[in-house]
Amino acid sequence: MTRRIETALLVDDDDAFRTTLQGALRRRGVVARTAATIDEGLVALEYEPVDLVVIDYRMPRGDGLSALAKYRKLQPDAAIVMLTGFGDIPLAVAAMREGADTLLSKPVDADKLLREAASLRERQRSPPSAAPTPPPGSLKLDDLEREAIRAALRESGGVVATAAKLLGIDRRTLQRKLKKLGG
């Protein structure tokens, strides 16, 4: 059984987007707080932990990518989701390397965000599977690329053309990568 997300922190400089997502989460029973800057978000986490951190990639005073390690250190058990309107494989790989659990494209549906976050938290709590997690620093580029492609396919409902758009690559390129990666 997946554990419900009860608290969230939304870090985004776009006031309209941030308050709209906050309202959507609150209507779903989530205690959602907001921060307009990276620093505001970090201060908020020092005083009150959350189940979910949603952070925007592009912000005027410090980008979300460079702050991920700080957020992960403050909230090691939280699901951390990076949002972007500019998603591609290198960004997804960098976000995962810096501490994000996943990268989602804006605008994001609140129900989808909560499902993904609950699933991420469940995976964090699951006992180790038959395939052990590689030690930090030993991830292979193919593994990271495969995970980014799988995430895009999940987000697109399995539609290759849509997944390719999310990844910022040509549909045929994605089909070749899928064949090469065995997917």
Side-chain angles (χ1 to χ4, degrees):
M1 183 175 114
T2 57
R3 187 167 169 221
R4 190 169 111 54
I5 299 296
E6 296 176 6
T7 57
L9 174 65
L10 311 173
V11 184
D12 197 306
D13 62 308
D14 183 338
D15 293 333
F17 175 78
R18 189 177 65 245
T19 55
T20 299
L21 184 55
Q22 179 185 34
L25 292 175
R26 285 182 172 173
R27 285 189 297 278
R28 287 156 179 83
V30 176
V31 176
R33 296 178 292 135
T34 65
T37 66
I38 299 293
D39 291 335
E40 278 181 36
L42 290 169
V43 169
L45 286 182
E46 287 180 13
Y47 296 103
E48 197 170 335
V50 294
D51 299 325
L52 169 63
V53 175
V54 179
I55 185 168
D56 188 24
Y57 168 56
R58 289 199 178 167
M59 296 181 63
R61 289 181 281 171
D63 68 82
L65 185 64
S66 62
L68 282 171
K70 294 175 188 172
Y71 278 86
R72 177 56 67 200
K73 185 176 180 184
L74 282 172
Q75 291 290 259
D77 296 329
I80 298 181
V81 176
M82 175 163 275
L83 293 182
T84 182
F86 311 95
D88 59 11
I89 290 176
L91 175 58
V93 169
M96 304 288 188
R97 189 178 322 123
E98 294 298 322
D101 292 305
T102 193
L103 178 83
L104 296 177
S105 297
K106 278 181 160 181
V108 67
D109 175 68
D111 291 322
K112 178 181 179 179
L113 175 64
L114 289 173
R115 278 192 309 273
E116 184 73 20
S119 174
L120 289 167
R121 285 184 49 117
E122 187 62 29
R123 279 186 253 153
Q124 289 172 346
R125 287 174 172 61
S126 296
S129 63
T133 304
S138 68
L139 293 175
K140 303 248 187 304
L141 183 57
D142 282 347
D143 295 337
L144 295 171
E145 184 178 53
R146 184 179 295 113
E147 185 56 38
I149 289 170
R150 284 183 184 149
L153 286 168
R154 271 194 313 271
E155 188 167 327
S156 69
V159 178
V160 173
T162 305
K165 284 181 185 176
L166 290 171
L167 294 167
I169 61 177
D170 184 72
R171 174 189 52 81
R172 291 170 297 206
T173 302
L174 179 55
Q175 287 171 325
R176 284 191 297 274
K177 288 182 178 293
L178 286 167
K179 186 175 181 181
K180 176 184 145 206
L181 295 171

